[in-house]
Amino acid sequence: GESVGLHLPTLSVQEGDNSIINCAYSNSASDYFIWYKQESGKGPQFIIDIRSNMDKRQGQRVTVLLNKTVKHLSLQIAATQPGDSAVYFCAEDFYGSARQLTFGSGTQLTVLP
Amino acid sequence: DGGITQSPKYLFRKEGQNVTLSCEQNLNHDAMYWYRQDPGQGLRLIYYSQIVNDFQKGDIAEGYSVSREKKESFPLTVTSAQKNPTAFYLCASSEGGTYNEQFFGPGTRLTVL
């Protein structure tokens, strides 16, 4: 999984398998979290968000899980496709305003044929 | 089409020159942000603005300057005081307030020769 300050971790999965990308966030007071996807040379794209009063939120093919006890966030991608290959970042609302996000260093997901 | 535009996509400058990166949004968002991204790393906040004619320093503001004279525009100037300006620069905007994700532009890759 990713954490601020570490080199970019990588995850390789077979096409069609499920992917799980992990993130350890730093501030126990953070109350809003976002997952972004960034393709090479492009800006990040919003995937899904979750507020601290939730443990789980589902989108189209994606699920975010939040464990506040251990300050851990995960992104699950179902039936991973080649187009899912990208760097995935988690971001936390570090200062309690949702107007200032702190980003993790990202995880490189590679989908194998 | 609503969105955020950044220009140019690639920018080359000689060491010691100031350079201004453009960011425009037509999403009617109150808040705008500038981030810097280095290879294999996450996003670091340079400056942000929550409203016209107001802006705040982020984590790495030294060597950068901004202005916010119009709601839709938030240009970033990379000055000669920035010691290592070569990077990928990302602009983002959000509605402001709480629990609103940031939308990103396509980025400008600045190379200082």
Side-chain angles (χ1 to χ4, degrees):
Chain A
E2 65 171 279
S3 182
V4 175
L6 296 181
H7 292 294
L8 190 66
T10 59
L11 175 66
S12 297
V13 298
Q14 292 292 140
E15 182 178 354
D17 286 352
N18 297 336
S19 303
I20 300 176
I21 300 170
N22 297 303
C23 174
Y25 65 92
S26 56
N27 188 348
S28 57
S30 293
D31 66 351
Y32 182 51
F33 305 88
I34 304 175
W35 278 102
Y36 285 93
K37 171 187 179 182
Q38 186 178 26
E39 297 175 346
S40 182
K42 297 183 178 180
Q45 295 173 274
F46 171 86
I47 302 174
I48 192 167
D49 59 359
I50 189 168
R51 302 184 188 183
S52 61
N53 60 355
M54 304 171 71
D55 297 323
K56 178 180 180 179
R57 191 166 189 220
Q58 289 184 291
Q60 188 176 17
R61 274 200 315 119
V62 294
T63 301
V64 55
L65 300 177
L66 175 62
N67 185 331
K68 294 180 287 293
T69 302
V70 294
K71 294 189 290 185
H72 184 267
L73 198 66
S74 68
L75 177 71
Q76 300 178 2
I77 305 174
T80 313
Q81 303 169 359
D84 294 328
S85 292
V87 176
Y88 290 81
F89 293 97
C90 68
E92 65 178 298
D93 163 26
F94 190 81
Y95 294 102
S97 70
R99 287 169 284 190
Q100 281 187 263
L101 298 175
T102 297
F103 288 80
S105 55
T107 295
Q108 172 72 58
L109 174 66
T110 301
V111 181
L112 305 172
Chain B
D1 267 347
I4 304 174
T5 56
Q6 291 184 245
S7 61
K9 186 172 178 62
Y10 298 97
L11 189 55
F12 296 89
R13 280 294 182 270
K14 292 183 179 179
E15 194 172 341
Q17 290 182 333
N18 291 356
V19 60
T20 298
L21 281 58
S22 168
C23 178
E24 304 279 330
Q25 55 99 359
N26 61 3
L27 300 168
N28 200 34
H29 284 169
D30 286 319
M32 296 187 74
Y33 311 80
W34 273 106
Y35 293 90
R36 171 184 172 133
Q37 187 176 31
D38 293 288
Q41 296 189 30
L43 283 64
R44 292 184 290 168
L45 183 65
I46 305 173
Y47 268 99
Y48 66 100
S49 168
Q50 296 177 2
I51 197 167
V52 174
N53 292 323
D54 183 63
F55 49 83
Q56 306 294 328
K57 292 183 179 180
D59 300 322
I60 56 165
E62 185 175 351
Y64 299 98
S65 66
V66 294
S67 63
R68 186 88 187 276
E69 297 176 1
K70 297 186 295 182
K71 187 175 186 178
E72 59 270 22
S73 179
F74 191 40
L76 173 74
T77 296
V78 184
T79 75
S80 58
Q82 169 49 232
K83 299 303 181 188
N84 186 19
T86 294
F88 190 46
Y89 290 89
L90 288 158
C91 179
S93 72
S94 73
E95 291 181 15
T98 56
Y99 308 123
N100 290 312
E101 71 269 25
Q102 294 180 17
F103 294 84
F104 284 84
T108 292
R109 187 167 300 280
L110 172 64
T111 302
V112 175
L113 306 171

